[in-house]
Amino acid sequence: MNAGYKVSDKIDLYAFANYSNSEGSGDFNYRFPDPEFGQTPNPNGSQGTLGPAIRLQNGTTWTGTSKFPAGYTPRFSGNVIDYSVTAGVRGELTPRLSYDATVRYGYNKISYGLEETQNPSYGPASPTSFSPGDLVADETAFNLDFSYEMPVAMFASPLTISYGAEYRSEGYELVEGDTASWAAGPYARPDPWGFCNLAQPIATRTATAAGLAVIAAGSTLNCANANDPVYRLLGVGSDGFPGNNPDYSGAIDRASYAVYVDLEADVTDKLFVGVAGRFEDYEDFGSTTDGKIAARYELTDDINLRASIGTGFRAPTPGQLSTANVSTRFPASEPVASGLFPATNPVSLFLGAKPLEPERSKNYSAGLTAAVGDFNFTLDFYQIDIEGQFYATRSITVTPTIQTALIAANVPGASTIGAVQFFQNAFDSVTKGVDFVGTYRADFGDYGTTNFTLSANYNTFKVGDILIGSPSALLFLEEDVYDFENGVPEFKSNFTVNHSIGKFTGMMRANYWGEYTASNCLTSQPISVFKCPTSTVYPEGLIKQKLGSEVLIDMEVSYDFPKDVIVTLGARNITNEYPDEGSARLGETGNGRVYRSDSLVDWQGTYYYLKIKKTF
């Protein structure tokens, strides 16, 4: 919705809003059954995902294959509700002084769902569908802006003085999931039914009265055998995506305010200069002052040179400060429960985390714009220096000592979490790049008009000082540095052709993604080692795979029907391209998945769509 109302020649009211409600779902990795699991030794050497056998309250044994004889594939879904509304009033106080007062509100909520899975620790009593919880973010802001034009005798144009203030309130909430999605069932602890006494070592244990009762009923219970199913532990939480636990659910809010001033003028007929400054104060991160200087010089009537230099500041979002999530990942084709925790979580602090600080940046750019007949283009070079860039630490394998800390922190499923990560101000970085956009309009008279657009972007990424970890506990390793610098294409471009004739409009776009390289370190190493060591199996240490370039073609055609109704039929990736398959040697594919999870090209092939647009 986009609306406006003219109150008078000097006062305008305006408002715009949007609302969307979308749903999507997809499969996780297949959990394969292993009917031989639990035998000693296991004949096929595999571990399965539906075992091991546990001992039920009646003394009999049970495995997940009783409920899922063919295994199962968890299906993950999400319902996203997103809306925002902005309203304001703008006008003139004097012929030289204008104002704009705005209030806006935005809201986003995602509700997760998980089906065709289980909470293993519940055993046979586990449900097969769960509501793991919601994530909710909202923001309210008030802006008051003024612009004043002041004549300056020495300038070629009046000096435009813009100034104003903003108040912003941000909220973020983790809504807890249903109990079965996060709770630890009886089989998350050994001997949940008290069949055996607590004598040490286990070889000296005997059955309690409850144990003797089930033995009398025919149970094969053997308390002195450490491998007896009575001591088996199963994973906690809905398999694939454990729900939000109430211990780390809840809401946080943050307020900030800012004031700014911006001065702009044509200093001469050819030289434009702008200077801006902004002061901002966050209730949780203190204050910052940033600025920018920009200039444009008219070299000829058709060519302009431009440049700018500025500083930036970005505080961690409430989500980065508070999100805790545990999910099942397959880093080497084996399921591992991996947790992402806030930097202030006791587990993160135990592993060396420090509270997040704001990112600070310096930005430089220089370029030109040109117009030659119907051909226009811009060419810009830039560099962005970031101090203390936010980045997740390496995946830290959970040792018995770390597991003890997880349990002490009341982390759900602490006994089954295999890896931990958390955000940190990980390193300083430098991004250098060049950006080109060119457009050409061709008029074919009765045959319509065609617009050609070519855009291209080239970037290089470089890690500077690494700010986290120490020689005894590195949190950012050679693999992480390599992936940051090489894990995305340096070159991307697209070429778009739009043709209009009568009520028809057609579009064709070619998207080009350059090659990039992925890496992995699969050599066992102590955390004090930064560089991935060599081994007999991996003599090169850090193993790499170059992923080739891709060209994806999109097409669509639209027709403008009477009464402002436009119908569009289109397809993305019309040639049905797929990314390169991941190398099994890197251990990031398997269990039926052939494409890497970090692939920049969609796995889904061609995508078709139909859109109907009505303008009121």
Side-chain angles (χ1 to χ4, degrees):
M1 183 274 290
N2 190 4
Y5 182 77
K6 195 171 187 64
V7 178
S8 68
D9 290 340
K10 295 185 177 181
I11 301 176
D12 290 321
L13 302 178
Y14 62 90
F16 50 89
N18 67 74
Y19 173 87
S20 70
N21 189 330
S22 60
E23 295 184 4
S25 63
D27 291 334
F28 281 165
N29 279 277
Y30 169 58
R31 272 63 168 165
F32 58 90
D34 189 352
E36 297 175 324
F37 188 92
Q39 299 183 25
T40 305
N42 189 351
N44 63 13
S46 61
Q47 192 161 333
T49 54
L50 302 188
I54 56 175
R55 198 167 287 284
L56 303 179
Q57 191 171 11
N58 62 7
T60 62
T61 60
W62 182 89
T63 69
T65 53
S66 301
K67 178 180 286 189
F68 301 100
Y72 61 93
T73 301
R75 189 159 186 85
F76 188 56
S77 62
N79 171 227
V80 180
I81 295 176
D82 183 278
Y83 60 84
S84 65
V85 59
T86 299
V89 55
R90 60 191 171 205
E92 292 183 355
L93 296 175
T94 71
R96 292 182 179 174
L97 179 62
S98 61
Y99 69 91
D100 189 347
T102 306
V103 58
R104 68 179 188 271
Y105 177 76
Y107 175 92
N108 182 278
K109 176 182 179 181
I110 179 168
S111 299
Y112 292 121
L114 194 62
E115 298 181 337
E116 301 173 31
T117 186
Q118 63 172 337
N119 180 335
S121 67
Y122 274 46
S126 172
T128 57
S129 62
F130 304 85
S131 296
D134 308 333
L135 299 179
V136 182
D138 67 346
E139 180 179 295
T140 303
F142 301 89
N143 289 79
L144 182 59
D145 303 291
F146 297 92
S147 182
Y148 178 72
E149 289 191 352
M150 183 175 71
V152 178
M154 66 182 68
F155 288 170
S157 74
L159 175 65
T160 300
I161 305 173
S162 300
Y163 56 96
E166 177 187 65
Y167 173 81
R168 185 169 68 248
S169 175
E170 301 170 88
Y172 186 81
E173 182 179 8
L174 274 80
V175 180
E176 69 178 84
D178 61 48
T179 302
S181 71
W182 56 263
Y187 303 102
R189 61 183 186 274
D191 192 15
W193 312 115
F195 290 154
C196 306
N197 61 36
L198 301 178
Q200 290 292 345
I202 292 178
T204 64
R205 291 184 182 178
T206 57
T208 62
L212 292 172
V214 296
I215 290 174
S219 174
T220 59
L221 172 68
N222 182 356
C223 291
N225 181 2
N227 293 320
D228 190 278
V230 75
Y231 299 120
R232 301 292 191 191
L233 304 180
L234 297 184
V236 173
S238 43
D239 181 26
F241 189 85
N244 296 334
N245 184 284
D247 288 342
Y248 54 71
S249 297
I252 65 171
D253 296 285
R254 177 173 71 196
S256 64
Y257 69 88
V259 294
Y260 76 92
V261 62
D262 179 83
L263 308 175
E264 297 181 352
D266 289 318
V267 178
T268 70
D269 290 337
K270 292 181 176 295
L271 177 63
F272 167 88
V273 177
V275 180
R278 178 181 176 94
F279 172 84
E280 194 160 8
D281 184 81
Y282 290 81
E283 64 177 348
D284 52 354
F285 284 104
S287 59
T288 179
T289 301
D290 294 286
K292 181 178 182 179
I293 301 175
R296 184 185 71 247
Y297 183 76
E298 185 179 311
L299 192 63
T300 70
D301 290 342
D302 298 319
I303 301 176
N304 294 285
L305 304 179
R306 60 187 181 185
S308 68
I309 181 173
T311 63
F313 175 94
R314 186 166 79 99
T317 66
Q320 288 173 319
L321 292 172
S322 61
T323 295
N325 177 262
V326 178
S327 61
T328 303
R329 300 179 184 176
F330 291 74
S333 300
E334 293 295 336
V336 173
S338 181
L340 177 66
F341 296 97
T344 53
N345 183 280
V347 177
S348 304
L349 295 174
F350 174 81
L351 294 171
K354 296 179 180 179
L356 287 176
E357 297 291 338
E359 290 179 343
R360 296 183 182 275
S361 63
K362 296 178 181 178
N363 313 279
Y364 314 88
S365 71
L368 61 88
T369 66
V372 182
D374 292 324
F375 177 64
N376 298 270
F377 75 88
T378 63
L379 179 66
D380 292 285
F381 299 86
Y382 54 85
Q383 178 173 321
I384 305 169
D385 300 340
I386 299 178
E387 297 178 4
Q389 182 162 343
F390 304 146
Y391 212 77
T393 66
R394 69 180 178 89
S395 183
I396 303 168
T397 301
V398 173
T399 63
T401 302
I402 297 174
Q403 188 176 86
T404 300
L406 290 170
I407 294 171
N410 296 316
V411 175
S415 61
T416 60
I417 292 177
V420 174
Q421 290 179 285
F422 44 88
F423 282 110
Q424 288 285 269
N425 297 96
F427 53 84
D428 298 336
S429 70
V430 177
T431 300
K432 297 180 180 180
V434 57
D435 195 67
F436 173 85
V437 178
T439 62
Y440 178 76
R441 177 181 175 85
D443 190 341
F444 298 102
D446 293 340
Y447 296 100
T449 59
T450 303
N451 291 312
F452 302 89
T453 302
L454 173 65
S455 64
N457 178 259
Y458 177 81
N459 283 308
T460 61
F461 309 94
K462 186 70 176 177
V463 171
D465 292 336
I466 297 175
L467 308 176
I468 57 176
S470 65
S472 61
L474 290 173
L475 301 176
F476 198 69
L477 304 178
E478 178 192 21
E479 175 189 348
D480 305 304
V481 173
Y482 188 90
D483 287 344
F484 178 83
E485 295 181 343
N486 302 278
V488 295
E490 291 184 341
F491 183 73
K492 295 180 291 184
S493 69
N494 66 66
F495 180 64
T496 305
V497 179
N498 282 286
H499 184 76
S500 299
I501 179 170
K503 294 183 177 296
F504 283 97
T505 301
M507 183 277 292
M508 183 172 70
R509 177 184 297 116
N511 305 281
Y512 175 82
W513 298 80
E515 61 183 24
Y516 61 101
T517 305
S519 74
N520 202 1
C521 179
L522 296 176
T523 305
S524 176
Q525 60 178 341
I527 59 174
S528 60
V529 177
F530 171 79
K531 190 173 181 62
C532 184
T534 61
S535 70
T536 302
V537 179
Y538 302 105
E540 70 272 54
L542 189 67
I543 53 177
K544 304 165 187 174
Q545 179 188 6
K546 180 172 288 187
L547 298 158
S549 59
E550 296 285 349
V551 177
L552 307 182
I553 306 297
D554 304 332
M555 296 182 68
E556 70 174 34
V557 60
S558 301
Y559 185 80
D560 190 350
F561 286 91
K563 299 184 178 180
D564 297 318
V565 175
I566 298 176
V567 178
T568 302
L569 176 65
R572 299 175 190 164
N573 189 8
I574 197 166
T575 55
N576 201 34
E577 300 296 326
Y578 288 84
D580 288 351
E581 294 185 4
S583 169
R585 196 163 185 268
L586 269 69
E588 303 240 356
T589 52
N591 302 312
R593 179 166 62 90
V594 298
Y595 303 116
R596 294 177 55 87
S597 57
D598 59 4
S599 171
L600 299 179
V601 178
D602 197 354
W603 305 357
Q604 311 305 321
T606 303
Y607 172 83
Y608 302 96
Y609 58 90
L610 174 68
K611 295 192 297 183
I612 301 176
K613 179 181 178 181
K614 167 68 177 175
T615 304
F616 299 92

